[in-house]
Amino acid sequence: MPAIPVRTVKVSMSRLKIRFDALKAQGRKALVPYITAGDPNPDITVELMHALVRGGADVIELGVPFSDPMADGPTIQLACERALRHGTGLWQILDMVAEFRMRDADTPVVLMGYLNPVEARGVQAFAERARQVGVDGVLLVDLAVEEAQGYVPVLRAQGLDCIFLLAPTSPDSRIAAIAAQASGYLYYVSLKGVTGAATLDVASVATQLAMIRRHTALPLAVGFGIRDPASAKAVGAIADGVVVGSALVAEAERLQDRPAELPAVLQERLAALREALDSLTAQPANL
Amino acid sequence: MSYDYPDRKGHFGPYGGQFVAETLMEPLRELLDAYVRLKDDPAFLREFDNDLRDYVGRPSPLYHAERLTRKWGGAEVWLKREDLNHTGAHKVNNTVGQALLAKHLGKTRIIAETGAGQHGVASATIAARLGLKCVVYMGAEDVQRQSPNVYRMKLLGAEVRPVHSGTRTLKDAMNEALRDWVTNVDDTFYVIGTVAGPHPYPLLVRDFQSVIGREVIAQSTERFGALPDALVACVGGGSNAIGLFHPFIGHAGVAMYGVEAAGRGIDTPDHAAPLSAGKPGILHGNRTYIMADDNGQILGTHSISAGLDYPGVGPEHSWLKDSGRVTYVAATDDEALASFHELTRLEGIIPALESSHALAYARKLAPQLGAGKRLVVNLSGRGDKDIFTIARLEGITL
């Protein structure tokens, strides 16, 4: 990567920080749903984002579909294929975020996806446009911290938070290096596997989160393997937030031919997850 | 000429690197550490060399193709006979090396992706010999067009898992193998078959395959007292080409040509030639030339040859292209088919369809080089696996 001049931009405090600070003050846990933009069709994505917020989403992870999603299981692979059949591209997704922002100024939106769609448009052009439309953070699944120097300064210069993954295989040294580059929150991958994989081991996640907390004050969200209120509650008890993706995307798959029903279904799923997480506030877990 | 690539982080200039999800970063570090520790260890190298000699059957001959030379009219044509290796292609050089690494790392299960099936067969073969469990991912379309190799893998005790996602070819098989690896990382070693993927794969596959070029240096010196004037090899991911080219990079007098698959033509969408008609991007863990649309989505490819039907290429080839050290060209399906028949009839050697692409360019190059020059073509594999494809194309029922 050529060195890209870092421009200093005066930015107001990040929506992600505001949101996580507020949740912490209330003793609540962040509910972070993931959907793939353009799935089951691009016309409904903005409506689905609003439905997620109505159901209780604190942060929305909006997936940028990629033809070769090598870290994703079959559920999100198929979501990518559905979205790409409609030609859903990165610029179109930024337009969706702009449309979402017309009715929602507060809910943080994180774009999650793979590097090549960003590379194809150029990271500088992407960062500028993402900031303009009201994107708050970016999570690039295949961007290891070793390669981040070409990306993070460009994204941060536009006030975009850079969310990184941490995994069960990440040793102390990597956790420290990643925490130093990350902002917004850290996304802990609860298991060795792809999205939508089997079951997670809450006890081992708790051990790992404790290790990660020694390196960072950033909020820790946990994803992979959280599919229902029970697993959300179990993880919510030890993390700052829970990410639910494949379980929601599976609904988009089920209702792909009846998309009109999808907003209400997702809202209902979110509400159940919200209730489970908020029950933790009523009875705080003993940490 | 000084050539010291990749750097410590696996970069060949702007190419290469490690672009994978976090879960795989530590296993990649373990692999690199093990490789760095073993690559100069005399005991490891002796084990590797012994396997190449006694199990693979190396060195492979450098064969003077006299009738081909006369037919083409011009440079003397020599064939590096990787087709004579055990399992029928150059792929086994690398699987023998990676299997030794797997053994040293204490892994009990290996996985592999395969296109034409040659790397799958080579992986299944070494797994059988070492008593490792082996799973091979193969695009569902390739399972159809390379059925003899599917059966060979099964005979060898491997499980072949057809991949139905995406374009159902090599790139999707690689996605699926990466997904398996991320899930079973504790006991599983991913044997990547080409010089692509995240660092250190492009490095270690190159090193294991470089035996090809080292032998050519020794053999050409012995046979005609000089290095060849030009080298030609086909390029899909590019492992046979790097294996031949790498030891020659510092020998500036040796011209090198990598031949991509032009499919139905480089000016059509139906080809697999990212170096000739693609642009840099990120796929399968490295930055390299790829075939993608304006949205960065990877494009479907076409080649008559399953082993070249891949939208990316090893990052070192991208660097060798930009630096000008290697010239990259492309040959169409029809040209490869014609060369397949030509070699078969003139020399009694049935080449793989992949290698036929190298021959298709070499037949143009030989007259340009002219008499008195010497040309080495890497005959990377034998064509037994392709006879059903050829028969079908020519309307013959076997």
Side-chain angles (χ1 to χ4, degrees), chain B residues 8 18 20 60 73 87 101 156 166 204 217 247 275 335 365 392:
Chain B
R8 208 172 45 80
Q18 293 180 308
V20 294
S60 68
T87 74
L101 284 178
L156 289 159
L204 62 91
I217 288 178
L275 290 167
E335 290 171 325
L365 183 63
R392 194 168 59 243

Side-chain angles (χ1 to χ4, degrees), chain B residues 218-239:
Chain B
Q219 290 167 323
S220 57
T221 306
E222 185 198 323
R223 298 291 295 278
F224 44 81
L227 294 181
D229 297 288
L231 310 174
V232 182
C234 65
V235 178
S239 66

Side-chain angles (χ1 to χ4, degrees), chain B residues 83-116:
Chain B
D83 60 313
L84 293 177
N85 291 340
H86 180 43
T87 74
H90 73 290
K91 292 291 187 189
V92 71
N93 303 327
N94 168 51
T95 56
V96 163
Q98 287 199 45
L100 286 179
L101 284 178
K103 212 172 78 176
H104 279 267
L105 283 167
K107 306 291 185 183
T108 55
R109 175 178 182 267
I110 64 171
I111 56 172
E113 84 293 336
T114 197

Side-chain angles (χ1 to χ4, degrees), chain A residues 65-70 72 77 81 115-116 119 121 141-142 146-147 151 167 169-171 174 178 192-193, chain B residues 11 17-23 25-26 166 171 175 178-179 182-183 186 281-282 287 290 294-298:
Chain A
F66 183 47
S67 52
D68 294 77
M70 63 186 183
D72 284 298
Q77 288 172 46
E81 289 186 13
L115 266 171
N116 203 53
E119 284 268 310
R121 296 297 182 183
V141 175
D142 50 351
E146 282 80 354
E147 302 283 352
Y151 300 86
T169 52
S170 309
R174 292 192 59 80
I178 291 166
K192 294 170 193 160
Chain B
H11 296 120
Q18 293 180 308
F19 296 92
V20 294
E22 173 62 19
T23 312
M25 289 302 289
E26 184 62 10
K171 82 171 175 72
N175 291 334
L178 283 162
R179 290 175 188 127
V182 87
T183 307
D186 291 333
I282 292 169
R287 180 181 280 111
I290 58 171
D294 291 344
N295 278 317
Q297 307 299 339
I298 308 304

Side-chain angles (χ1 to χ4, degrees), chain A residues 61-102:
Chain A
E61 284 186 358
L62 188 60
V64 178
F66 183 47
S67 52
D68 294 77
M70 63 186 183
D72 284 298
T75 303
I76 291 177
Q77 288 172 46
L78 288 171
C80 288
E81 289 186 13
R82 285 192 295 275
L84 291 175
R85 269 202 296 276
H86 294 282
T88 311
L90 185 57
W91 277 181
Q92 193 185 355
I93 294 165
L94 293 181
D95 289 344
M96 293 174 187
V97 176
E99 193 187 333
F100 173 76
R101 279 277 168 258
M102 287 162 59

Side-chain angles (χ1 to χ4, degrees), chain A residues 39-41 44 47-48 82 86 250-266:
Chain A
D39 172 38
N41 70 67
I44 202 171
E47 195 184 334
L48 293 179
R82 285 192 295 275
H86 294 282
E251 297 287 10
E253 180 177 353
R254 184 173 66 85
L255 295 171
Q256 57 183 299
D257 298 322
R258 291 174 286 154
E261 298 174 31
L262 194 52
V265 168
L266 289 191

